[in-house]
């Protein structure tokens, strides 16, 4: 049957179902598109012969919604949706968001805070003996004791707080297939302790002494060094080739993470993306204006998974992993053909990408047998000598899709790693990217210019961005197009001092860059950067890290990145005075802000007497920059 999966009892009856195998509870509106995890997992189960009902954004104030399908034959699946429910609700400043892109009409407040915990405990109260399997980003990134930005404290594993039986981490297709088939064969959920890519909890007396143990919840709460150590080990064991099982004591329970499930092979990915997705939101949302989250991805194609870029502030390496797997050219082109048949297709494919658009293959041959290197990055601070950079296969796919009837343009919007692109000795892809795949502006992510900050981010140094921008504008000029670069920038990342923010502001001024938006660092669960934010330690060196934590300190750094905005003048001047950078206050072209209260030319003698050599030294250093 080609249709949406049932979202209520009536739709089950229309299918002739008197009982379902699984009820899939999600904090998102139901969108049947392969960019949504709920859609993929439910279609995978359907393809394997299981009956799945979708319980979307249930009212958590009562048990009525959770009982509408009756007790499922095999269990409940629970997720907060495509993103963490706390991130969905709150900004980096902990202010309540007004909108929710994953809810019909963009309306906020349709899911609870900590949705996985809330949903699972309601189900456990209604059906004490039913298997509950949690997954998705919220569960995956909170599988161990973790720092929670909103509580400003270490929280226990979400597996413990949710009272669930199993936690699926990472991309869960093969995990859910194995779990469903074994439950269907009569196995008890308590015996499913050997499924790769899952976590389970047992009484500490029944601890399986396998793999490696990280510091306990109690020790992580008491000692920041212990928490930093636990994060480092957890990150290092996520490789599916060399990764070990990881266990952590949480009170009287031992949380056990089995070794990672290997990523899907090309043939498996092709199968997953060939399933009969409706590629839009459920029609019940039409009256509410639809679901905004579909707009950016409706005509986009995912061609890869994983990211060996592994930025410290990004959760992808802890969720999808660093290993790259890709779909076949034939699968991608076939999906593009499907897009051209949709009624509202206007000729534009918005993206052929993934976590990083221009990754198609693992970064080197070594990892195929040994896994990715522990504690090292493929691209930062400089590209590894063993890196293999080629875009020939990706370029071939883009060319093939461009030739399809009805396709006017194919854009790349999911992000280009320009440092990886620069390592490709053949610039054919670079030139065709500029000529054919940019929608007026290309968004890239240098994030900062300070080498010290970029090292804490796990990003390449700014020289790579400078070289990329030069070539980008050279190639753009050669084809007589007016196109721009839009750099993503981040303020207040761990390691960024006020002087680093000033350095970035000067870089932006010198290069005539005026960012319209600046992202404050957001300490989301499961990242190395979040560990640094909380502990003020680098988990890989245990060295102290400066962290701007107060709202005012963050505001000073953020304002400097938009120094040209009159509303930021007061904060910028305060920041410059605090850093003793009086050379940047005044009327000269090098200055970031003017000041009516401080006129350097008319108070030259007072300036010299008060600030002396330090002011001259700062001015001299700034000119060198």
């Amino acid at each position: 049957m080609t249709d949406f999966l049932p979202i209520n009892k009536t739709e089950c009856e229309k299918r002739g179902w008197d009982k379902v195998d699984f009820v899939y509870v999600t904090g998102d509106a139901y969108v049947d598109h392969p960019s949504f995890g709920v859609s993929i997992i439910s279609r995978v189960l359907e393809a394997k012969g299981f009956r799945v009902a979708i319980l979307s954004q249930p009212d958590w104030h009562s048990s009525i919604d959770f009982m509408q399908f009756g007790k499922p034959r095999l269990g409940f699946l629970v997720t907060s949706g495509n993103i963490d429910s706390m991130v969905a609700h709150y900004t980096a400043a902990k202010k309540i968001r007004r909108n929710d892109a994953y809810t019909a009409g963009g309306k906020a407040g349709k899911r609870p805070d900590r949705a996985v915990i809330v949903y699972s405990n309601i189900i456990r109260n209604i059906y004490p003996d039913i298997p509950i399997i949690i997954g998705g980003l919220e569960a995956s990134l909170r599988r161990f004791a973790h720092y929670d930005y909103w509580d400003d404290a270490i929280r226990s594993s979400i597996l413990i707080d949710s009272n669930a039986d199993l936690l699926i981490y990472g991309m869960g297709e093969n995990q859910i297939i194995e779990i469903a088939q074994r439950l269907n064969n009569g196995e008890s959920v308590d015996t499913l302790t050997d499924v790769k890519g899952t976590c389970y909890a047992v009484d500490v007396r029944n601890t399986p002494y396998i793999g490696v143990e990280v510091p306990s919840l109690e020790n992580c709460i008491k000692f920041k060094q212990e928490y930093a150590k636990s994060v480092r080990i957890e990150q290092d064991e996520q490789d599916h080739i060399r990764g070990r099982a990881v266990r952590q004591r949480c009170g009287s329970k031992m949380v056990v993470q089995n070794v990672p499930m290997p990523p899907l092979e090309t043939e498996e990915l092709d199968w997953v993306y060939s399933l009969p997705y409706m590629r839009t939101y459920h029609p019940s949302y039409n009256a509410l204006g639809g679901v905004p989250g579909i707009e950016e991805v409706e005509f986009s194609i995912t061609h890869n998974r994983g990211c060996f870029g592994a930025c410290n502030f990004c959760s992808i390496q802890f969720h999808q992993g660093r290993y790259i797997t890709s779909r076949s050219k034939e699968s991608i082109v076939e999906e593009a053909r499907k897009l051209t048949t949709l009624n509202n297709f206007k000729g534009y494919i918005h993206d052929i990408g993934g976590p990083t658009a221009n990754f198609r293959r693992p970064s080197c041959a070594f990892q195929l047998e040994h896994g990715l290197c522990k504690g090292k990055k493929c691209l930062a601070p400089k590209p590894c000598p063993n890196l293999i950079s080629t875009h020939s296969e990706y370029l071939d796919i883009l060319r093939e899709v461009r030739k399809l009837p009805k396709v006017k343009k194919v854009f790349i919007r999911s992000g280009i790693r320009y440092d990886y692109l620069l390592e490709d000795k053949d610039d054919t892809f670079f030139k065709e990217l500029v000529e054919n795949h940019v929608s007026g502006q290309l968004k890239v992510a240098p994030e900062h210019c300070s080498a010290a900050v970029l090292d804490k981010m796990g990003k390449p140094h700014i020289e790579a961005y400078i070289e990329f921008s030069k070539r980008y504008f050279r190639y753009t000029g050669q084809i007589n197009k007016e196109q721009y670069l839009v750099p993503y920038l981040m303020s207040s990342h761990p390691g960024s001092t006020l002087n680093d923010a000033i350095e970035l502001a000067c870089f932006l001024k010198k290069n005539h860059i005026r960012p319209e938006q600046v992202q404050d660092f957001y300490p989301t669960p499961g990242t190395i950067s979040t560990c640094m934010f909380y502990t003020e330690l680098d988990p890989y060196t245990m060295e102290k890290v400066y962290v701007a934590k107060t709202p005012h300190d963050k505001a000073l750094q953020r304002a400097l990145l938009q120094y040209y905005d009159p509303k930021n003048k007061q904060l910028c001047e305060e920041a410059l005075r605090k850093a003793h950078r009086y050379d940047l206050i005044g009327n000269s072209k090098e200055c970031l802000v003017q000041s009516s209260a401080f006129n350097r030319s008319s108070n030259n003698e007072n300036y010299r007497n008060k600030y002396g050599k330090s002011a001259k030294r700062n001015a001299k250093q700034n000119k060198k920059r």
Side-chain angles (χ1 to χ4, degrees), residues 18 68 84 104 106 265 296 314 319 334 337 375 385 393 424 427 443 487 503 505 529 549 579:
D18 57 355
Q68 65 175 292
D84 188 279
E265 301 285 349
E296 187 64 26
C314 180
H319 182 62
E334 179 58 30
R337 286 196 185 96
E393 188 176 328
D424 191 343
D427 63 357
K443 296 179 180 179
E503 181 182 346
S529 296
K549 286 192 174 182

Side-chain angles (χ1 to χ4, degrees), residues 456 493-496 532 535-538 541 543-547:
K456 295 306 178 190
H493 185 277
S496 177
M532 285 192 276
T535 64
E536 300 180 37
L537 296 169
D538 183 326
T541 65
E543 295 174 349
K544 288 285 292 182
V545 177
Y546 171 79
V547 179

Side-chain angles (χ1 to χ4, degrees), residues 22 69 98 100 148 161 167 198 209 214-215 241 281 299 380 488:
F22 291 100
F69 298 104
R98 297 179 179 179
D100 185 341
D148 184 270
D161 288 343
L167 182 156
T198 66
Y209 291 101
V214 298
I241 294 176
Y281 48 79
F299 299 108
Y488 285 122

Side-chain angles (χ1 to χ4, degrees), residues 146-149 227 231 312-314 493-494 521-537 539 547 549:
H146 56 280
Y147 172 70
D148 184 270
Y149 176 57
Y227 179 63
V231 168
N312 287 341
F313 52 80
C314 180
H493 185 277
F521 170 66
Y522 199 161
T524 54
T527 72
I528 296 170
S529 296
T530 296
C531 173
M532 285 192 276
F533 175 86
Y534 170 65
T535 64
E536 300 180 37
L537 296 169
V547 179
K549 286 192 174 182

Side-chain angles (χ1 to χ4, degrees), residues 257-426:
Q257 174 189 276
N258 289 324
V259 297
M261 178 68 77
L264 299 186
E265 301 285 349
T266 294
E267 294 76 14
E268 294 173 306
L269 276 172
D270 288 353
W271 173 73
V272 166
Y273 285 91
S274 72
L275 297 174
Y277 306 99
M278 299 302 290
R279 307 195 71 86
T280 187
Y281 48 79
H282 192 276
S284 62
Y285 303 130
N286 285 332
L288 299 172
V291 181
I294 189 64
E295 295 172 3
E296 187 64 26
V297 299
E298 184 176 9
F299 299 108
S300 296
I301 298 172
T302 300
H303 80 90
N304 66 5
R305 286 184 179 178
C307 181
F308 56 73
C311 300
N312 287 341
F313 52 80
C314 180
S315 62
I316 290 174
Q317 61 180 313
F318 199 51
H319 182 62
Q320 287 195 22
R322 296 164 60 198
Y323 191 87
I324 305 297
T325 54
S326 310
R327 295 168 60 189
S328 69
K329 171 184 173 182
E330 293 74 21
S331 172
I332 297 164
V333 173
E334 179 58 30
E335 183 172 353
R337 286 196 185 96
K338 289 179 182 178
L339 295 182
T340 66
T341 66
L342 300 179
N343 291 333
N344 53 342
F345 181 70
K346 305 298 183 183
Y348 301 97
I349 292 178
H350 296 162
D351 191 25
I352 298 180
T356 294
N358 55 326
F359 290 171
R360 276 291 293 174
R361 288 290 178 260
S363 55
C364 71
F366 176 85
Q367 66 192 259
L368 300 179
E369 181 178 353
H370 302 284
L372 283 107
C373 298
K374 183 189 296 188
K376 296 181 179 180
K377 296 186 183 296
C378 302
L379 290 167
K382 294 182 179 180
C384 173
N386 295 324
L387 180 73
I388 300 173
S389 178
T390 175
H391 293 79
S392 57
E393 188 176 328
Y394 186 38
L395 182 58
D396 181 47
I397 291 168
L398 293 170
R399 287 172 173 172
E400 195 71 22
V401 175
R402 290 199 319 248
K403 292 190 299 184
L404 291 176
K406 299 184 180 180
V407 172
K408 298 177 183 177
K409 196 85 172 179
V410 179
F411 298 120
I412 300 174
R413 292 181 177 174
S414 56
I416 292 286
R417 278 299 293 239
Y418 55 81
D419 47 343
Y420 177 74
L421 176 57
L422 291 174
E423 292 301 300
D424 191 343
K425 304 306 179 185
D426 183 351

Side-chain angles (χ1 to χ4, degrees), residues 65-81:
D65 283 353
F66 295 85
M67 299 173 67
Q68 65 175 292
F69 298 104
K71 185 178 180 180
R73 188 172 68 90
L74 298 177
F76 278 89
L77 311 177
V78 181
T79 179
S80 68

Side-chain angles (χ1 to χ4, degrees), residues 506 510 581 583-584 588 590 600 616-625:
C506 292
K510 178 181 178 181
R581 293 303 304 272
D583 56 300
L584 298 176
S588 71
E590 291 85 9
R600 180 173 168 180
K616 292 182 179 179
R617 182 173 63 250
N618 287 336
K620 188 176 181 180
Q621 289 175 346
N622 188 51
K623 285 183 179 180
K624 287 182 178 179
R625 290 188 180 95

